[in-house]
């Protein structure tokens, strides 16, 4: 009986390995490196506002909307990063619009939208979006290249 259990575990391991390989292949086929584009979201260090939702538009078209759970917000506040969007984008000039909604420590609703231009060259483009509240004179939404 033990031999059968070991064989089942080996088959299970092989299936998981094949599934991982297929996922990598699928991502390479769906998002070729020349047009690959991804957006990552983080919260600025020390921010205390509660992030409820983020919407990302690329060139005026909605790319994604995301509503955050308490655990996800907690992870972002501890320095975590979320890949919120993956897609394909042509080379050239583009515009990203990021809208955030949440609540300030005082309990007031907080909403902010920023439109920022960026360039997509040949090769993958990873764009980081750092979110902040209105306090401390910080930019509420900052966009930059990530590596």
């Amino acid at each position: 009986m033990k031999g059968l259990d070991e064989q089942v575990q080996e088959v299970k391991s092989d299936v998981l390995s094949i599934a991982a390989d297929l996922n990598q292949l699928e991502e390479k086929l769906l998002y070729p490196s020349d047009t690959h584009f991804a957006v990552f979201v983080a919260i600025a260090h020390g921010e205390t506002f509660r992030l409820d939702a983020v919407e990302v538009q690329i060139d005026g078209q909605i790319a994604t909307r995301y509503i955050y759970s308490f655990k996800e917000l907690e992870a972002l506040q501890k320095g975590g990063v979320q890949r919120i969007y993956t897609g394909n984008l042509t080379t050239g000039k583009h515009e990203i619009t990021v809208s955030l909604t949440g609540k300030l420590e005082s309990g007031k609703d907080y909403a902010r939208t920023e439109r920022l231009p960026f360039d997509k060259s040949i090769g993958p483009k990873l764009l980081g979006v750092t979110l902040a509240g209105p306090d401390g004179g910080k930019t509420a939404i900052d966009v930059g290249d990530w590596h």
Side-chain angles (χ1 to χ4, degrees):
M1 191 67 157
K2 187 173 183 177
L4 183 60
D5 285 343
E6 289 175 359
Q7 288 177 352
V8 168
Q9 289 302 322
E10 284 180 27
V11 169
K12 217 173 167 181
S13 177
D14 290 345
V15 167
L16 290 174
S17 176
I18 291 169
D21 291 344
L22 285 173
N23 283 338
Q24 285 181 335
L25 180 60
E26 179 184 33
E27 188 161 323
K28 285 181 182 179
L29 290 172
L30 290 175
Y31 311 113
S33 63
D34 285 352
T35 62
H36 183 237
F37 175 68
V39 179
F40 295 83
V41 170
I43 292 180
H45 181 70
E47 277 300 327
T48 56
F49 79 98
R50 186 188 80 204
L51 178 64
D52 290 334
V54 171
E55 178 181 286
V56 175
Q57 294 182 25
I58 309 296
D59 297 330
Q61 300 293 319
I62 293 176
T64 188
R65 290 184 179 126
Y66 197 84
I67 298 173
Y68 290 90
S69 70
F70 176 76
K71 288 189 177 224
E72 291 167 327
L73 175 59
E74 190 175 49
L76 287 174
Q77 288 173 331
K78 289 181 178 179
V81 176
Q82 177 199 17
R83 179 169 61 174
I84 195 169
Y85 176 76
T86 300
N88 294 306
L89 198 61
T90 59
T91 58
K93 296 189 180 301
H94 297 279
E95 181 181 74
I96 185 169
T97 303
V98 180
S99 301
L100 70 88
T101 57
K103 286 206 181 286
L104 301 176
E105 273 190 301
S106 64
K108 288 185 176 182
D109 289 336
Y110 177 61
R112 185 70 186 248
T113 298
E114 297 278 340
R115 287 185 179 89
L116 301 156
F118 68 95
D119 289 321
K120 166 74 172 81
S121 59
I122 295 175
K125 175 79 166 181
L126 307 178
L127 206 59
V129 177
T130 305
L131 308 174
D135 302 328
K138 300 175 191 169
T139 303
I141 300 171
D142 187 32
V143 175
D145 289 333
W146 283 21
H147 306 284

